[in-house]
Amino acid sequence: MQHRLVMFILLLWPCVHALAQDVQPKKRLFHPYAAIGLLVTMPNSDSFNDSHTGLLVGGGVRLPIDHQEHFNVLIGLQYASKGMQYNDEYYRIIVDANYLVVPVNIYYNFAPESKFSYMFGCGLYVAYGISESMKVPKDLYYFEGFPVDGHRNIFKDGNFPRCDVGGQLINALKFKQASLFMSIDFSFLKKRMIGGRQDLCNLCTFSMGVSYEL
């Protein structure tokens, strides 16, 4: 009797093992996430001398591209409030440029199976300007071509490109589904500034925030 029972278990074991493999949850092909943070735009220009602080809100998906999930593709959709300022003892000019941004990054996760891990990556972004504004003191309305109401279309006038493209470096500290991220964006395009100076400006944006994988 015992011999028959052992033979039955040996014959049944491959079937049980195969069934257990079939009912195991499969790894997801993509992982959605949400993110929020602050960004600081640093202009490199003679026309503007001060940084601009804005908001970054968005989300996207993470796509693992290897079995161990060390390498991942990150595709997002973000709202980013960029801009710049000019400040001196006489007046202040504030420029706001709000964009929809689509970043695409490839990053490496050093310890994907651990609760704590560090990630580093790089990629590209494309952006489209959806709104803009320029706050100018009243005594400058007639200075250097400002209209009477003090408002200029900074996209149309070329102060900011409505369609922008650039590079991105990103790193993050991850704990389970939550991450603390920091990124640097640098535009490939140069911007013509206000006034008659016609100088060019490179923009670099630093952002920091939190994201959560859903």
Side-chain angles (χ1 to χ4, degrees):
M1 182 66 182
Q2 292 180 349
H3 178 71
R4 291 181 180 180
L5 181 59
V6 172
M7 291 296 297
F8 177 76
I9 293 175
L10 292 176
L11 292 174
L12 187 62
W13 174 251
C15 299
V16 174
H17 183 67
L19 182 62
Q21 287 183 333
D22 291 338
V23 299
Q24 285 181 352
K26 295 182 179 180
K27 290 187 177 181
R28 291 189 294 172
L29 297 178
F30 62 92
H31 304 260
Y33 71 92
I36 185 171
L38 294 176
L39 57 85
V40 179
T41 307
M42 304 291 294
N44 179 19
S45 168
D46 294 332
S47 297
F48 284 83
N49 60 6
D50 204 352
S51 61
H52 179 281
T53 303
L55 182 66
L56 177 71
V57 180
V61 293
R62 176 176 68 86
L63 306 173
I65 56 178
D66 69 341
H67 180 67
Q68 293 80 18
E69 296 192 356
H70 285 287
F71 286 98
N72 294 262
V73 176
L74 209 64
I75 304 174
L77 178 62
Q78 303 170 347
Y79 167 84
S81 177
K82 300 184 180 183
M84 51 193 171
Q85 299 185 54
Y86 177 82
N87 290 292
D88 65 12
E89 57 182 326
Y90 301 108
Y91 60 87
R92 182 184 187 187
I93 299 174
I94 303 175
V95 174
D96 295 307
N98 303 314
Y99 285 89
L100 283 179
V101 185
V102 178
V104 179
N105 288 281
I106 296 178
Y107 74 88
Y108 185 83
N109 189 338
F110 286 84
E113 303 298 333
S114 176
K115 291 183 179 180
F116 291 94
S117 61
Y118 171 73
M119 301 176 293
F120 177 81
C122 62
L124 301 174
Y125 74 85
V126 292
Y128 182 79
I130 56 175
S131 64
E132 47 76 32
S133 66
M134 179 181 289
K135 300 176 183 178
V136 184
K138 289 185 177 180
D139 56 353
L140 291 180
Y141 282 3
Y142 299 98
F143 177 67
E144 291 187 345
F146 282 106
V148 176
D149 60 2
H151 180 272
R152 292 186 66 166
N153 189 321
I154 61 175
F155 292 140
K156 183 178 180 180
D157 292 348
N159 306 135
F160 269 69
R162 183 178 291 275
C163 296
D164 191 16
V165 61
Q168 187 175 79
L169 297 175
I170 184 171
N171 60 88
L173 294 174
K174 185 176 181 181
F175 175 69
K176 295 184 177 179
Q177 284 80 25
S179 298
L180 173 66
F181 68 86
M182 293 171 286
S183 66
I184 302 175
D185 299 355
F186 45 94
S187 175
F188 293 156
L189 305 179
K190 298 190 177 197
K191 292 86 178 172
R192 181 171 296 184
M193 310 313 299
I194 65 171
R197 303 182 188 92
Q198 302 295 316
D199 63 306
L200 300 176
C201 174
N202 290 315
L203 290 183
C204 185
T205 304
F206 301 89
S207 59
M208 181 175 182
V210 294
S211 64
Y212 188 84
E213 195 167 281
L214 306 175

